[in-house]
Amino acid sequence: MLRLGRREFAPHERVIMAIVNRTPDSFYDQGATFRDEPALARVEQAVAEGAAIIDIGGVKAGPGEEVSAEEEVRRTVGFVAEVRRRFPDVVISVDTWRHEVGEAVCEAGADVLNDAWGGVDPRLAEVAARYGAGLVCTHAGGAEPRTRPHRVTYDDVMADILDVTVGLAERAVELGVPRESVMIDPGHDFGKNTRHSLEATRRLGEMVATGWPVLVSLSNKDFVGETLDRPVKERVVGTLATTAVSAWLGAQVYRVHEVAETRQVLDMVSSIAGDREPAVARRGLA
């Protein structure tokens, strides 16, 4: 059972984490939810479309203008508090690698710290433990935050992913993070080229076999764009195909931009797998 905030998710329940960027320079929406009202409208829409988790980020993943910890706090803390007030039952995640930011957002009501940079700040897990928050343990190939990979190599990319993510998860539990609130993430694109990300997807079942809930962040990423030679705004179909494969292989949490489309894909996979009844079943029966 995965427990995050006030919510519990059964092992075969496929869960959507909707992305809400509090940045002026997001690769996907170029700052569409930087201001409070559009961002709150995005949260409301995502929840209505089936997201159980809202993932709030105050710094874009890629290179760009430097954002201090103080500025990241300014972009996220008040917003976390307002989302907590308006949506008391939604799971609030914050995408940060800094323990100072983790501390501030947990104080404001965040339930999960999404550490996309692979434990580069080891104190972030300590913060999660102190607040009883969930933690996402990601493989980033040892990359520094906000850098792009350059000629990175692995003898076996999945072996490295397993070694890093399971190690981070076990350390988190030893520190006091609730075991049922820890997820592992292969870190598509982070410290990886496109072939690495494709192999990580193909071998996702090896992560699932560890017993840790697996989170995948696939939405409109470069590995999808390079595989299909499509710009950011034309990667939805490739993202959804990768989502379906990941769901079939057992991933549980999906960090996405397109919530409604992802919900349909996950529900279809769940029904094919026998984990969900069809919404309507009249054919051949009426």
Side-chain angles (χ1 to χ4, degrees):
M1 186 70 70
L2 176 63
R3 292 185 175 90
L4 303 171
R6 300 182 182 183
R7 302 287 299 275
E8 292 187 350
F9 304 99
H12 295 295
E13 191 172 353
R14 294 167 174 90
V15 182
I16 292 178
M17 171 189 273
I19 300 166
V20 179
N21 292 311
R22 302 309 318 282
T23 62
D25 52 358
S26 164
F27 90 98
Y28 179 73
D29 60 25
Q30 291 79 52
T33 54
F34 186 47
R35 294 187 300 109
D36 286 352
E37 286 311 311
L40 288 166
R42 161 70 175 160
V43 173
E44 184 173 9
Q45 178 185 10
V47 171
E49 291 177 347
I53 308 169
I54 301 297
D55 191 51
I56 298 163
V59 184
K60 81 168 188 175
E65 183 178 341
E66 182 180 353
V67 179
S68 67
E70 292 76 18
E71 173 62 15
E72 187 180 355
V73 165
R74 190 190 69 77
R75 293 178 180 183
T76 55
V77 169
F79 187 72
V80 167
E82 184 62 16
V83 173
R84 178 83 295 148
R85 187 185 72 81
R86 296 194 187 192
F87 305 91
D89 295 324
V90 77
V91 178
I92 299 176
S93 169
V94 175
D95 180 354
T96 186
W97 74 88
R98 293 166 163 150
H99 76 273
E100 309 98 306
V101 178
E103 185 98 35
V105 297
C106 284
E107 281 286 338
D111 304 301
V112 178
L113 298 176
N114 180 11
D115 182 7
W117 289 103
V120 68
D121 181 348
R123 295 177 65 185
L124 188 66
E126 297 172 13
V127 172
R130 190 158 59 252
Y131 285 88
L135 184 68
V136 181
C137 299
T138 307
H139 180 272
E144 288 295 314
R146 307 192 68 194
T147 61
R148 298 196 190 281
H150 180 68
R151 300 191 182 279
V152 62
T153 61
Y154 299 95
D155 292 333
D156 182 330
V157 66
M158 182 50 74
D160 204 80
I161 288 170
L162 292 172
D163 183 60
V164 170
T165 58
V166 171
L168 289 170
E170 291 175 345
R171 175 181 181 268
V173 172
E174 288 172 1
L175 288 169
V177 180
R179 186 179 184 88
E180 63 273 17
S181 302
V182 176
M183 296 161 278
I184 60 174
D185 178 353
H188 289 79
D189 274 1
F190 282 58
K192 298 171 189 68
N193 62 32
T194 290
R195 289 184 176 87
H196 292 142
S197 292
L198 291 171
E199 183 172 351
T201 307
R202 187 163 59 247
R203 297 174 61 186
L204 204 62
E206 295 176 43
M207 294 191 76
V208 174
T210 66
W212 298 98
V214 174
L215 179 149
V216 288
S217 182
L218 312 167
S219 195
N220 302 293
K221 283 194 168 179
D222 285 347
F223 83 96
V224 175
E226 288 192 358
T227 298
L228 301 176
D229 193 17
R230 290 290 184 269
V232 170
K233 294 298 183 180
E234 296 177 18
R235 298 176 184 176
V236 175
V237 174
T239 296
L240 295 176
T242 314
T243 298
V245 170
S246 300
W248 190 255
L249 292 175
Q252 185 166 15
V253 182
Y254 301 80
R255 183 178 180 271
V256 306
H257 297 100
E258 287 82 19
V259 175
E261 295 87 342
T262 303
R263 186 72 271 164
Q264 289 189 48
V265 168
L266 296 179
D267 286 350
M268 195 70 199
V269 172
S270 293
S271 294
I272 293 169
D275 299 324
R276 172 187 178 273
E277 289 295 318
V280 177
R282 289 190 292 260
R283 183 172 175 80
L285 301 174

